[in-house]
Amino acid sequence: MTAPLTPRDNQPSEEPHTPPTASGAGSSAEPPAHPPTDEAPVDPPLGQELREAALTVLVLALVGALLGLLWLWLAPRIPLVADAHNVYLKDTEGEEAIGADGVFLLLAAGFGIVSTAVLFRLRRRGGVPLVVSLVVGGLLGSVLGWQLGMVLGPTDDLAAHAAQVGPGVVFDGPLRLQAMGVLLAWPIAAMATQLALTGLFGPRDEEPQLPGTPVPGAPDLTKDDPTA
């Protein structure tokens, strides 16, 4: 029999040493799963988007009545005067007709900005139906406000109105739009506001993780790896 060999100078044996793992000695180490990340908001179903778009068109069209009332209140009047045969402008160099167009333009643009901001506040993620509803609803609101302002304003029957007030008496002319392009002020302002708010405060898609990029919050496995 031979005596068992002992390490010289109390040196450790040459047996392979396995580093302990977090789950205990002898257990197989598995890489930890990635921590859950915040998922991007899911778009609503198409049917729900269409219902919301239809409701938006209806609300904006009804709000156009307020536009018409404000236009009737703030637009300058066109003074007219009549003689025994014809009706004339009291001030041939007046700018009241252009002023009525300018007031409508500013009011419609303001309605487009405010209505879009309110809608964006209620729902940040806007799909194509919602954007289309802003344009259609804004155009319908402008048309309704234009028509309501003309109906509630002075009559457009100048002969009857002149005969009623008498010759030489100044009276207000009908409220009209000289440039029909101002009806697009509301939808154009709404589209510009929607694009600006979406670019500044809208949801953004997460950037894809490149291979080898460490995940935030995940443990670094290279610290306990003896070969690293």
Side-chain angles (χ1 to χ4, degrees), residues 76 94-103 178:
E95 298 180 354
E96 289 83 4
I98 301 177
D101 286 14
V103 170
Q178 305 298 324

Side-chain angles (χ1 to χ4, degrees), residues 8-208:
R8 291 180 302 174
D9 301 333
N10 294 328
Q11 294 181 357
S13 61
E14 297 180 356
E15 296 180 357
H17 175 69
T18 303
T21 59
S23 59
S27 62
S28 59
E30 296 181 357
H34 296 306
T37 57
D38 295 336
E39 298 181 355
V42 181
D43 292 335
L46 180 59
Q48 180 180 350
E49 285 192 341
L50 293 178
R51 289 191 297 270
E52 292 179 353
L55 180 61
T56 301
V57 171
L58 178 60
V59 172
L60 293 181
L62 295 178
V63 171
L66 180 59
L67 170 62
L69 295 176
L70 289 176
W71 181 47
L72 176 63
W73 178 37
L74 298 175
R77 298 294 184 262
I78 303 176
L80 302 176
V81 63
D83 56 14
H85 303 285
N86 297 308
V87 178
Y88 306 95
L89 287 171
K90 181 179 182 297
D91 186 3
T92 56
E93 297 181 357
E95 298 180 354
E96 289 83 4
I98 301 177
D101 286 14
V103 170
F104 190 94
L105 175 66
L106 295 177
L107 288 175
F111 271 69
I113 295 173
V114 173
S115 60
T116 305
V118 171
L119 188 61
F120 184 83
R121 179 66 178 85
L122 297 176
R123 185 186 175 200
R124 289 178 177 269
R125 180 176 291 272
V128 175
L130 185 63
V131 175
V132 173
S133 68
L134 288 173
V135 177
V136 176
L139 185 59
L140 291 178
S142 295
V143 173
L144 177 60
W146 165 49
Q147 293 293 326
L148 184 63
M150 290 196 307
V151 170
L152 298 180
T155 179
D156 57 354
D157 190 351
L158 298 181
H161 199 176
Q164 180 182 2
V165 299
V169 178
V170 179
F171 61 95
D172 294 334
L175 187 61
R176 295 175 180 174
L177 286 179
Q178 305 298 324
M180 303 306 296
V182 299
L183 294 175
L184 301 177
W186 187 332
I188 291 176
M191 287 295 299
T193 305
Q194 177 69 19
L195 291 176
L197 293 177
T198 302
L200 292 175
F201 307 107
R204 292 173 174 80
D205 297 333
E206 296 183 357
E207 296 183 358

